[in-house]
Amino acid sequence: MLVLGIESTCDETAVAIVKDGREIISNVISSQIDLHREFGGVVPELACRRHVDIMIPVLKETLEKANLELKDIDLIAVARGPGLIGAILIGLNTAKALSFALNKPFIGINHIEAHLYAAIMSHEKPILFPAIGSVLSGGHTVIVLINELGSYQLIGQTVDDAVGEAFDKVAKILNLPYPGGPEIEALALKGNPKKYPFKSGVVKANPYNFSFSGLKTAVLYAVRGQNASVTDTPLPLELCQDVAASFQRAAFSGIVSKTLQAAKEYGCQEIIFGGGVTNNQLLRKLFNEASQDVSYVWPAVGLSLDNAAMIAGLGYQKFIAGNKGDSLDLEALTSIPF
Ligand code: KG4
Ligand code: ZN
């Protein structure tokens, strides 16, 4: 079964074709980094306009690369949220138009669930359920219990910034380009992680919840002083390296401890990861060092950041689980509760 996936929830316009939920035939991602870089983050209005311009060319390129035509597609899967409402609408309406014109079903997909499926679809062995799922991205930071594919229980989530967003904001403070995650990771390699006593946020109401805004402010004060004044003088490189290393350690320490604690409490042997922040090699190292009692399922290269292969793959799973298609009045959602 050939599924066409469409993703446009944030700043990637992506279309993919996946066979039987796992085999990626073609996976085209058009990133908008160039567009948002000068603003240090995603500008929703610009993102929407770019999605409009590029969606059909990306669709055509995906079909060409797969050497397929639209008539060969059996099902359309599209991210219906969470994300930027205007951005989601462009992918969703493209999917609806294709579904209507081709007389083929379409299924709306939860982008966060798809991030978890990205790791599952490239994993050789069957997943041992129940498992813990952890999505660490620019828009989301959640821990969920996965009873089986399609059955989730939210355990913890961020109460303010997502972890990737904190990386992007700290990068901005350090005058590094967007997206900040890879920049901070590279800079931190030569830094002293113990130089600054940054702490990961604690949320009393739910110990599995995350908070990154206090950490971000602590970085701001460390760099610019208590009145956070902006100067034109560039920071010494060594100081930037130490800030990056200390921030990264603090941000990850809470993620590692909370995720492992959740695995223990819920009797899970596997942790499934998704989202762009899981590209970070220090994060992977910290998990490996902290515990080998559980196994870690990381997304394959190319499937951690936003992509449409994960949307198509999960669409197939929904279809074979009994969802034979959504109706044309399916709405875009800025947030989707687990
Ligand atoms: O999954 P993704 O494409 O976006 C959302 O669905 O939100 O992830 C993008 C985020 C950005 O915030 C970026 O800074 C972060 O992932 N990121 C990283 C790394 N690579 C990307 N964060 C830390 N370390 C990295 N190596
Ligand atoms: Zn994402």
Side-chain angles (χ1 to χ4, degrees):
M1 184 173 184
L2 290 174
V3 183
L4 181 88
I6 300 177
E7 158 63 41
S8 69
T9 58
C10 190
D11 61 340
E12 265 89 25
T13 318
V15 180
I17 297 170
V18 173
K19 188 177 175 192
D20 298 338
R22 290 182 82 94
E23 191 188 330
I24 298 173
I25 310 287
S26 146
N27 185 22
V28 177
I29 304 168
S30 174
S31 163
Q32 303 184 357
I33 286 174
D34 59 317
L35 190 65
H36 303 290
R37 186 157 262 186
E38 71 173 287
F39 305 101
V42 178
V43 183
E45 180 64 26
L46 295 181
C48 296
R49 290 184 199 185
R50 178 66 72 83
H51 284 308
V52 170
D53 287 344
I54 208 91
M55 182 58 78
I56 300 304
V58 170
L59 170 64
K60 281 186 177 156
E61 188 184 335
T62 307
L63 289 163
E64 272 164 25
K65 285 197 165 146
N67 212 2
L68 291 168
E69 292 175 35
L70 278 175
K71 65 172 175 44
D72 302 319
I73 300 298
D74 300 302
L75 172 73
I76 299 146
V78 58
R80 65 169 310 202
L84 305 170
I85 190 76
I88 302 165
L89 279 170
I90 293 145
L92 184 58
N93 285 335
T94 306
K96 287 178 180 178
L98 287 171
S99 165
F100 185 71
L102 300 169
N103 199 20
K104 299 279 167 72
F106 89 97
I107 295 178
I109 296 293
N110 176 343
H111 174 95
I112 306 183
E113 185 183 359
H115 267 303
L116 293 173
Y117 186 72
I120 296 172
M121 75 188 281
S122 48
H123 192 58
E124 306 264 294
K125 293 184 245 157
I127 300 295
L128 299 170
F129 293 115
I132 289 296
S134 171
V135 177
L136 306 169
S137 75
H140 321 284
T141 305
V142 296
I143 302 179
V144 291
L145 175 67
I146 314 175
N147 297 309
E148 58 181 337
L149 208 59
S151 166
Y152 307 90
Q153 182 188 328
L154 181 69
I155 293 176
Q157 62 187 329
T158 182
V159 295
D160 39 57
D161 294 344
V163 58
E165 190 181 354
F167 270 83
D168 296 336
K169 288 179 176 169
V170 166
K172 205 171 175 181
I173 295 170
L174 294 175
N175 292 321
L176 297 169
Y178 172 83
E183 302 284 338
I184 300 262
E185 179 174 15
L187 195 67
L189 288 174
K190 289 195 176 148
N192 173 5
K194 293 188 181 140
K195 177 74 185 282
Y196 293 93
F198 298 141
K199 295 257 178 335
S200 78
V202 175
V203 184
K204 285 209 182 105
N206 175 2
Y208 288 120
N209 276 350
F210 300 97
S211 168
F212 295 101
S213 70
L215 172 60
K216 178 194 66 194
T217 309
V219 171
L220 182 72
Y221 289 161
V223 172
R224 295 197 189 146
Q226 284 294 331
N227 59 2
S229 55
V230 186
T231 71
D232 288 335
T233 326
L235 292 164
L237 178 63
E238 203 177 309
L239 184 129
C240 292
Q241 290 167 336
D242 292 343
V243 167
S246 304
F247 158 75
Q248 201 174 223
R249 281 271 164 178
F252 289 158
S253 73
I255 290 174
V256 172
S257 61
K258 289 170 194 184
T259 312
L260 288 174
Q261 181 58 34
K264 200 168 163 194
E265 183 175 337
Y266 291 91
C268 301
Q269 296 167 43
E270 282 188 324
I271 301 176
I272 298 161
F273 291 94
V277 181
T278 68
N279 276 328
N280 190 294
Q281 294 307 310
L282 177 72
L283 178 77
R284 297 186 182 208
K285 186 166 164 265
L286 290 174
F287 268 107
N288 286 327
E289 283 170 2
S291 173
Q292 287 175 356
D293 297 340
V294 282
S295 51
Y296 305 110
V297 183
W298 301 99
V301 177
L303 293 184
S304 57
L305 294 165
D306 287 351
N307 67 86
M310 65 184 191
I311 306 292
L314 186 57
Y316 170 82
Q317 297 295 345
K318 299 282 171 197
F319 188 82
I320 58 166
N323 181 346
K324 295 303 170 206
D326 285 317
S327 83
L328 284 174
D329 54 17
L330 185 81
E331 286 183 3
L333 298 173
T334 50
S335 68
I336 304 180
F338 255 105

